[in-house]
Amino acid sequence: MRYYTRRRARLLSELAPIRDIVTLTTEDSVGKFAARASQSRIIASGVKSLHVNFKAGLAALRALRQCLSLLQHLEDLELHLVGLSHSSWVHILRSANLKNLQNLSTNAPHSALRRFLPKATSVQHLRLPSFCGDVCQLDDTPFPRLTDVTAATVCIAPLINHARVERLSVIDLGPEDSTVFPRMLKSLASSISTLTILHVDFNPGDRDILRRISEVAPKLTALKLIEREFLPQGRSLRQRRPWNHSVEWRDDLRRFPYLHRFLLRTSASLVRTPSIEREELALLRAWTCIKLAPHPSLMYVTLWYLVGSPSATLKSWKREVGNGVKWVLQTHAIPPEWDQFI
């Protein structure tokens, strides 16, 4: 990592343009930016969005800590570093006091975030794509403005206990015991949150997945079900899926009267012949219609099946307004990112 003298840093700050979005992907870029920002309040105060993604060595720790200390007006922080110890994370975050921070995405260990997050009282959108172990370390951390959470199942209860969350992404970060998901649902039932958007990585053997979700989040407007790739030992790959009984599946979808968008991703086949539109249309009607009466609000359905196989199929369908049984295939259907909703 290159080091900068005070004179060189001042020269860099005079030549550097003022940017509100800064992306740092190497140790040298961190050092160079820290040198600029340390010599210019205008540069430091102008940064609203900071994105840091690289494999950090010890040489970069001081510069990273300096960046977070200088950028007092950050609203958006993406901090993903590979290979850092717990003590290194604590060192980086120790001087950060980001009272204006609204969006945070980081792979920092949750035990290190315990000291940092109580100072970031304005956070609304929180992404924690890292596994924290069997017990989450963020219990009793207040989140007065939090509305959007992405985290592992075991972390959901601590994060939503003191927040009014509307959008929740429950992601699969490895093997978990069979009691974690029920505990998460129980915490949703007792929380003050009113979910409208939900992403869940679910076990394909959970036949009551829709019913169980509806009991704690009946006001969903968007639901994304992603079948977990990890299967517990002893389970057959040909096990029965919850949608195999289409009448029960249809009735369970109607437990969500406000549901507008629905996505299902599975390694199984949803139809006899993949990619045949008439078979998918028949499936959609079986799932959404009782005779000619459509689901009260469901307008968009994305079917993403045979994932991981050569016959993988992704189709997005839209129901015609005023016609409950007619679905139209959308012209462009691309795989959504893991944290996107259709």
Side-chain angles (χ1 to χ4, degrees):
M1 177 176 169
R2 185 180 301 175
Y3 293 91
Y4 296 88
T5 64
R6 184 171 298 177
R7 180 179 179 184
R8 175 63 174 165
R10 186 179 300 111
L11 178 61
L12 287 172
S13 67
E14 292 172 354
L15 296 176
I18 299 174
R19 294 180 292 169
D20 60 349
I21 301 176
V22 174
T23 300
L24 306 174
T25 57
T26 65
E27 291 188 338
D28 282 342
S29 65
V30 172
K32 190 173 183 179
F33 177 74
R36 290 171 176 171
S38 65
Q39 294 298 314
S40 171
R41 288 187 178 181
I42 295 178
I43 289 178
S45 62
V47 179
K48 304 298 182 185
S49 181
L50 177 65
H51 304 266
V52 184
N53 292 273
F54 63 92
K55 185 176 182 179
L58 294 177
L61 298 186
R62 182 174 177 273
L64 282 169
R65 181 179 179 182
Q66 186 178 21
C67 283
L68 293 182
S69 177
L70 291 168
L71 305 183
Q72 296 288 323
H73 300 283
L74 272 184
E75 298 175 0
D76 184 7
L77 174 60
E78 180 187 6
L79 190 60
H80 290 258
L81 303 170
V82 179
L84 286 190
S85 65
H86 175 271
S87 59
S88 296
W89 275 107
V90 171
H91 176 79
I92 291 172
L93 296 171
R94 182 177 297 158
S95 300
N97 188 14
L98 306 176
K99 294 182 179 179
N100 297 319
L101 192 65
Q102 299 177 20
N103 306 292
L104 173 62
S105 175
T106 181
N107 65 334
H110 298 187
S111 52
L113 289 174
R114 287 187 68 178
R115 304 181 185 184
F116 165 71
L117 285 176
K119 296 183 289 185
T121 56
S122 296
V123 169
Q124 300 175 25
H125 309 275
L126 183 62
R127 303 278 187 276
L128 301 177
S130 59
F131 186 61
C132 64
D134 295 332
V135 179
C136 184
Q137 300 295 314
L138 296 176
D139 201 11
D140 296 327
T141 303
F143 299 98
R145 300 187 181 180
L146 191 63
T147 62
D148 180 5
V149 174
T150 296
T153 310
V154 71
C155 301
I156 297 303
L159 292 173
I160 68 173
N161 276 344
H162 307 287
R164 296 185 179 274
V165 175
E166 298 175 0
R167 171 171 171 159
L168 179 62
S169 295
V170 186
I171 55 178
D172 177 18
L173 293 175
E176 59 186 35
D177 67 66
S178 59
T179 65
V180 173
F181 189 69
R183 288 204 307 268
M184 186 271 291
L185 291 177
K186 185 177 180 180
S187 67
L188 281 175
S190 60
S191 76
I192 59 176
S193 299
T194 301
L195 292 181
T196 57
I197 300 177
L198 178 63
H199 165 138
V200 174
D201 288 6
F202 73 102
N203 189 312
D206 189 348
R207 294 182 56 184
D208 296 324
I209 182 69
L210 287 178
R211 180 185 58 77
R212 296 167 72 188
I213 292 174
S214 70
E215 290 173 352
V216 297
K219 296 184 179 181
L220 288 181
T221 60
L223 175 60
K224 183 176 179 181
L225 294 181
I226 304 297
E227 185 179 86
R228 299 183 71 208
E229 295 182 5
F230 169 79
L231 292 175
Q233 291 183 353
R235 291 283 181 90
S236 169
L237 290 175
R238 295 184 178 182
Q239 66 183 303
R240 181 176 175 82
R241 260 61 174 199
W243 52 84
N244 286 6
H245 195 300
S246 60
V247 174
E248 289 183 5
W249 187 250
R250 178 201 65 194
D251 292 343
D252 285 344
L253 279 172
R254 286 175 176 261
R255 294 174 181 269
F256 304 95
Y258 307 104
L259 190 64
H260 190 64
R261 293 175 178 268
F262 177 62
L263 179 146
L264 174 65
R265 181 183 188 269
T266 175
S267 60
S269 182
L270 296 176
V271 293
R272 187 180 299 274
T273 310
S275 296
I276 299 299
E277 291 182 17
R278 67 176 181 273
E279 294 190 17
E280 293 181 3
L281 281 169
L283 180 74
L284 289 172
R285 291 174 183 140
W287 284 6
T288 62
C289 295
I290 299 178
K291 296 183 179 179
L292 295 180
H295 185 284
S297 58
L298 189 57
M299 296 297 296
Y300 297 90
V301 174
T302 299
L303 304 175
W304 194 356
Y305 57 96
L306 290 174
V307 174
S309 76
S311 301
T313 300
L314 173 62
K315 298 281 189 66
S316 290
W317 296 85
K318 179 182 179 181
R319 194 181 87 198
E320 281 199 349
V321 177
N323 191 329
V325 297
K326 187 170 183 180
W327 291 81
V328 179
L329 183 64
Q330 301 297 282
T331 53
H332 298 288
I334 59 175
E337 298 294 332
W338 67 271
D339 61 345
Q340 289 180 338
F341 285 86
I342 310 176

